[in-house]
Each structure stands twice: as structure tokens, then as C-alpha cells.
């Protein structure tokens, strides 16, 4: 019986490693700073045990595959509505007999509550024992959430959720909202979100301006609804955030390369890449632009009908419209397509207009890069030099490309989920560790 699983030492004399204590402390500090419900986070000692057990489970394998699962710390009382309505958006199943919360049982139950579709529900009994009492099936819509965007998943309570992304790699969240991340027992704090920088959006400024003007001349007299200047940037960033999240969740790694706009019409791709697949440069390769034009036209039309002077991304998110829903679904599918192509060895290559050029691109050139600068702030005003050979093959290829082609931007995802943005900035070859 699963409830009695696990080895004898694990059940009778559990030992806690030192690292979960620090992570549990940091989690509580961040939880409180975000003013999340204090009752939704268990006591410190319980959080430590939850983290430590998840970490131990993450190092195991089941049927020769690494364990990947999600748990939510919640009691059955939170799901009274779901128990009374089997057709509710959340599908909650109670076990007739709970299973002890051990790494062994997590390993055995993880496949049933598939990482992308469900969570194991954990609670503390009156005796103090932690048990897995059931499964909460959310469906897969949460996977399409962009970091920093609103949630599309079936509604979860704001209770503590822990995820195993990869061996030793955990994420703590409140419902669907990410709070912190740890890898190999270390809290991930050394990083930035380049989407909030000035340098990254500036690289795409010309394309954004042309796209806004391509939909319709922006009215200057206030007589019609205007699309916010940041609208294209915000939507594009949601797409890329979603792509990075998908690639990280899959644990394969990959590389996304942005070349200068219209680079596909030059010799640059052939000079720098040997593609597994190169696309015919027809209209199908500019799907992002076509979807954006349709979206902005529809958003402007709805905004004008509502008497709005300017439409922002937040306004768009609140618009419940069948046509926009179809466009949004198409952008989600486009994100999945990009993530799929990134999973092929090599790099996915686009230009800054998001025109698809090819995938499986082997980066050519034999120039050696000995030094890479790690950014210490969003704008890389302060950097520290590192030896490039301390990085893996995929990273070194990206360094070589950007060093030789200064206008290129590379986004590298390693198998363990580490993400780096690589660009030539302030006349230095620089990388930014990505920490959303």
C-alpha cells in the first residue's frame, strides 16, 4: 500500500538538510512582502519538511525518468464546492486512505498527478504528520501563463505550491504566482529580468514603430482610439516569456537567436548557420506580424466603441471578445511552436520582426572568445569579466555568434533551466542571467 511506502529510516528518523531552512526563511519573507494570506503558508518547520522532501524526491527516478511533480499544501475544506460538483473547473479527487508525505510516495504518485495536469494535495494531520490526501487536476492552461501575466489555469487557492522542475530544481508559488526558485539547494537570486531593461526593447524599437503605423496611423487629435506605444512590446514579451517557461519546464534546453530585421534577405544566415531546416520566406514566416495586426485592429475597434482614448495591454486582457480569444489562442500556439523548434539541437533563428528563418541552426565560425562579461545590473553599467570556457558548448556558441555579429541577440536555455540573454552592449560581450 502506498501509504506505507518509503524506507524504514525515512519514515522513522527523517533528517533535514541545512539548506531548506534558509529557503523556507526567504520564502516567508517574500510571502509577507507580497502581502499574501499568512494562513496560506504553513509554519516554518512544516515548510522546511515540505521543501526537503520535494528535494529528495527530485533526485529520484521512476521508470528511468526523473521525478517531476507539483504539490499544494491545502486541506479538503478548500474544495467543498468541487466535491459537490464533479463538473467544476477543478477536478479534485480524495484518496480513501491518505499516503504518507515521503519522497518515495511522491515518486510513486507523481505519474498519476501528471506535472502539467495535476497536483498532489498535502495537509498536516492533528498528530503533526504530513499526508497526501488527494489530487487536484487543473488541466494544462496554466502552462500557457506568461511570467508576470495573468493566470489562465483553473482557479487555485493562494496556498503554497511547490514544483519539481528538474533534479534539485524547485519552484515555490502561491497558487500560480511564482515566489522563489532554488537549484541544488541554493536560492536563485543572481539574475535579472531583461524585459524590464531599456536596452532590450530599444533593439526592437524600429519594428514596433512600423507595426503600429502599419495598422493605422495613430490619431493625434484624440478623435479615435489609439494603441499604446508599449502594446507591441508587451505582447511580444508575453510570447517570449511563455516560450522560455515552456522550454524550462521540458528540461531539454535550447537557443533562440534574433538577427537584425530583414536579415533573412541577406547573406547573414548562410554565413553564420548550418540549418537543419531553413524556411521558404513566404507570408507564413511572418505569422506573428499578421496576428499582431489583426489583434491591434480589433482592440482599437473595441476601444473606440467603448470610448477609450488609449488601449493598453491591461485593457486588452480585460476584453472578452470571441475574435480576440481566437487570436490569443493562435499566439499561444505560436509560443508552443517556437518552444518545439528550440528543442531541436542547434538554434531557432528569427529576425527582430519575429520572422522565422530556420531551426536546428549550427553556429559556424571558429573564432575564439576568451572572456564574457556578466551583467551586475539591468543595463549592464557594471559588469564582471568571466572566462568563457567555464560555460557549456551551447553558451560558448552563442558567445561566438554575438561576438562576431554584434547586432544579434541570443537567449540560451540550459538543461537545468538556467537562462542567459547574450548581447553586445556598451562595446562588451555581455550576458544577463534571467530570473523572472
Amino acid at each position: 500500500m502506498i501509504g506505507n511506502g518509503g524506507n524504514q529510516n525515512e519514515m522513522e528518523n527523517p533528517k533535514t538538510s541545512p539548506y531548506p531552512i534558509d529557503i523556507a526563511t526567504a520564502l516567508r519573507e517574500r510571502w509577507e512582502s507580497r502581502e499574501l494570506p499568512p494562513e496560506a503558508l504553513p509554519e516554518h518547520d512544516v515548510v522546511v519538511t515540505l521543501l526537503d522532501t520535494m528535494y529528495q524526491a527530485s533526485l529520484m527516478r521512476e521508470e528511468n525518468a526523473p521525478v517531476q511533480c507539483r504539490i499544494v499544501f491545502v486541506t479538503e475544506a478548500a474544495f467543498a464546492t468541487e466535491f459537490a460538483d464533479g463538473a467544476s473547473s477543478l477536478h479534485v479527487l480524495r484518496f480513501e486512505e491518505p499516503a504518507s508525505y515521503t519522497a518515495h510516495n511522491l515518486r510513486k504518485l507523481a505519474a498519476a498527478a501528471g506535472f502539467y495536469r495535476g497536483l498532489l494535495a498535502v495537509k498536516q494531520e492533528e498528530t503533526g504528520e504530513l499526508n497526501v490526501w488527494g489530487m487536484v487536476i487543473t488541466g494544462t492552461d496554466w502552462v500557457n501563463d506568461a511570467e508576470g501575466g495573468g493566470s489562465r489555469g483553473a482557479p487555485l487557492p493562494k496556498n503554497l505550491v511547490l514544483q519539481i522542475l528538474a533534479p534539485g530544481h524547485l519552484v515555490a508559488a502561491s497558487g500560480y504566482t511564482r515566489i522563489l526558485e532554488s537549484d541544488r539547494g541554493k536560492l536563485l537570486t543572481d539574475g535579472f529580468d531583461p524585459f524590464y531593461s531599456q536596452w532590450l526593447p530599444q533593439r526592437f524599437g524600429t519594428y514596433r514603430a512600423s507595426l503600429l503605423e502599419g495598422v493605422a496611423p495613430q490619431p493625434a487629435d484624440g478623435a479615435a482610439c489609439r494603441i499604446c506605444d508599449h502594446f507591441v512590446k508587451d505582447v511580444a514579451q508575453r510570447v517570449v516569456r511563455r516560450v522560455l517557461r515552456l522550454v524550462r519546464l521540458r528540461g531539454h534546453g535550447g537557443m533562440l537567436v534574433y538577427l537584425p530585421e530583414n536579415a533573412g534577405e541577406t547573406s547573414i544566415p548562410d554565413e553564420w548557420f548550418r540549418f537543419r531546416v531553413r524556411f521558404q520566406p513566404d507570408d507564413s514566416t511572418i505569422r506573428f506580424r499578421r496576428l499582431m495586426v489583426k489583434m491591434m485592429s480589433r482592440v482599437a475597434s473595441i476601444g473606440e466603441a467603448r470610448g477609450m482614448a488609449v488601449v493598453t495591454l491591461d485593457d486588452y486582457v480585460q476584453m472578452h471578445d470571441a475574435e480576440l480569444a481566437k487570436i490569443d489562442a493562435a499566439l499561444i500556439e505560436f509560443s508552443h511552436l517556437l518552444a518545439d523548434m528550440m528543442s531541436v539541437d542547434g538554434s531557432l533563428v528569427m529576425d527582430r520582426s519575429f520572422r522565422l528563418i530556420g531551426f536546428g541552426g549550427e553556429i559556424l565560425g571558429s573564432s575564439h572568445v576568451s572572456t564574457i562579461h556578466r551583467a551586475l545590473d539591468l543595463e549592464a553599467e557594471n559588469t564582471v569579466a568571466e572566462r568563457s570556457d567555464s560555460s557549456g558548448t551551447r553558451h560558448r556558441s552563442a558567445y561566438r555568434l554575438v561576438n562576431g555579429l554584434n547586432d544579434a541577440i541570443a537567449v540560451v536555455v540550459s538543461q537545468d533551466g538556467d537562462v542567459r540573454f547574450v548581447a553586445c552592449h556598451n562595446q562588451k560581450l555581455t550576458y544577463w542571467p534571467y530570473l523572472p
Side-chain angles (χ1 to χ4, degrees):
M1 184 167 56
I2 286 181
N4 295 324
N7 61 54
Q8 194 69 15
N9 290 334
E10 179 184 64
M11 296 293 294
E12 295 182 357
N13 187 30
K15 293 183 178 180
T16 302
S17 305
Y19 76 85
I21 297 173
D22 295 336
I23 296 175
T25 300
L27 174 59
R28 186 165 301 277
E29 291 173 353
R30 296 192 186 187
W31 196 279
E32 292 173 352
S33 70
R34 298 192 183 196
E35 299 182 345
L36 293 166
E39 67 278 6
L41 184 67
E43 294 298 322
H44 176 78
D45 290 346
V46 175
V47 175
V48 170
T49 301
L50 292 170
L51 287 165
D52 191 54
T53 305
M54 285 286 277
Y55 183 85
Q56 299 304 323
S58 78
L59 303 179
M60 296 178 170
R61 299 183 71 84
E62 177 68 7
E63 299 292 340
N64 205 34
V67 172
Q68 209 178 13
C69 75
R70 296 184 291 155
I71 68 164
V72 56
F73 189 83
V74 66
T75 66
E76 297 95 328
F79 301 108
T81 301
E82 285 74 15
F83 295 142
D85 179 10
S88 59
S89 57
L90 280 177
H91 185 193
V92 185
L93 294 165
R94 288 176 285 187
F95 298 166
E96 189 169 275
E97 186 171 338
S100 297
Y101 180 72
T102 66
H104 171 80
N105 282 342
L106 290 179
R107 173 168 68 95
K108 289 297 183 182
L109 292 170
F115 179 85
Y116 297 102
R117 288 185 168 81
L119 305 94
L120 296 173
V122 180
K123 71 174 182 179
Q124 186 176 30
E125 306 288 357
E126 292 183 0
T127 60
E129 181 183 6
L130 297 178
N131 283 330
V132 182
W133 61 262
M135 299 189 300
V136 180
I137 312 303
T138 60
T140 60
D141 282 350
W142 71 277
V143 180
N144 295 318
D145 294 347
E147 299 284 0
S151 172
R152 297 174 179 277
L156 271 179
K158 294 184 177 180
N159 292 50
L160 175 64
V161 170
L162 298 178
Q163 305 174 11
I164 297 175
L165 290 187
H169 197 156
L170 306 181
V171 172
S174 169
Y176 295 112
T177 304
R178 177 187 176 279
I179 305 299
L180 59 73
E181 192 168 337
S182 68
D183 190 15
R184 300 178 184 89
K186 294 178 61 178
L187 185 64
L188 297 184
T189 58
D190 184 17
F192 312 97
D193 189 343
F195 292 113
Y196 290 119
S197 70
Q198 295 181 24
W199 72 266
L200 183 60
Q202 286 173 355
R203 301 285 182 102
F204 295 82
T206 301
Y207 172 67
R208 287 199 307 274
S210 68
L211 191 55
L212 284 166
E213 287 299 321
V215 175
Q218 295 287 283
D221 56 4
C225 181
R226 184 173 66 85
I227 301 296
C228 171
D229 293 341
H230 298 294
F231 189 88
V232 177
K233 179 198 74 173
D234 293 340
V235 174
Q237 288 184 357
R238 280 166 62 95
V239 169
V240 180
R241 285 181 187 276
R242 185 178 295 121
V243 171
L244 295 180
R245 181 174 187 175
L246 290 168
V247 175
R248 294 184 78 210
L249 286 174
R250 295 173 184 180
H252 181 277
M255 188 191 309
L256 171 61
V257 172
Y258 287 102
L259 298 180
E261 194 173 349
N262 299 319
E265 300 172 8
T266 71
S267 61
I268 291 176
D270 291 328
E271 291 174 355
W272 283 97
F273 299 93
R274 181 182 295 112
F275 289 98
R276 183 170 295 275
V277 171
R278 175 86 181 263
F279 294 115
Q280 292 280 357
D282 55 31
D283 203 72
S284 64
T285 61
I286 56 171
R287 182 169 178 79
F288 178 77
R289 181 183 183 90
R290 296 302 184 221
L291 291 173
M292 285 300 303
V293 169
K294 289 180 65 176
M295 173 187 287
M296 289 190 293
S297 296
R298 181 59 180 163
V299 163
S301 175
I302 295 174
E304 186 170 357
R306 296 182 179 181
M308 303 171 67
V310 181
V311 176
T312 67
L313 178 68
D314 289 340
D315 297 324
Y316 155 71
V317 171
Q318 299 301 319
M319 291 178 177
H320 300 288
D321 175 77
E323 185 176 340
L324 284 181
K326 291 179 181 179
I327 298 170
D328 200 36
L331 283 173
I332 289 174
E333 287 303 316
F334 183 69
S335 298
H336 280 263
L337 173 63
L338 298 185
D340 290 343
M341 290 189 290
M342 281 181 67
S343 69
V344 177
D345 287 341
S347 55
L348 167 63
V349 182
M350 302 190 291
D351 72 10
R352 289 183 195 167
S353 71
F354 280 66
R355 178 188 282 273
L356 297 171
I357 295 175
F359 66 87
E362 175 190 353
I363 295 174
L364 305 176
S366 58
S367 60
H368 177 67
V369 175
S370 59
T371 303
I372 178 77
H373 293 265
R374 175 166 58 88
L376 299 179
D377 54 71
L378 268 178
E379 305 305 331
E381 293 178 356
N382 299 290
T383 63
V384 59
E386 297 179 350
R387 290 175 56 90
S388 63
D389 58 11
S390 63
S391 303
T393 303
R394 184 179 284 138
H395 293 83
R396 294 197 303 273
S397 296
Y399 302 159
R400 190 171 68 249
L401 169 69
V402 177
N403 189 57
L405 190 60
N406 291 171
D407 285 339
I409 299 172
V411 186
V412 187
V413 185
S414 62
Q415 289 184 339
D416 62 7
D418 172 79
V419 181
R420 295 183 180 185
F421 282 66
V422 184
C424 188
H425 185 62
N426 293 334
Q427 299 182 331
K428 293 179 182 177
L429 181 62
T430 308
Y431 81 85
W432 289 256
Y434 175 60
L435 192 63

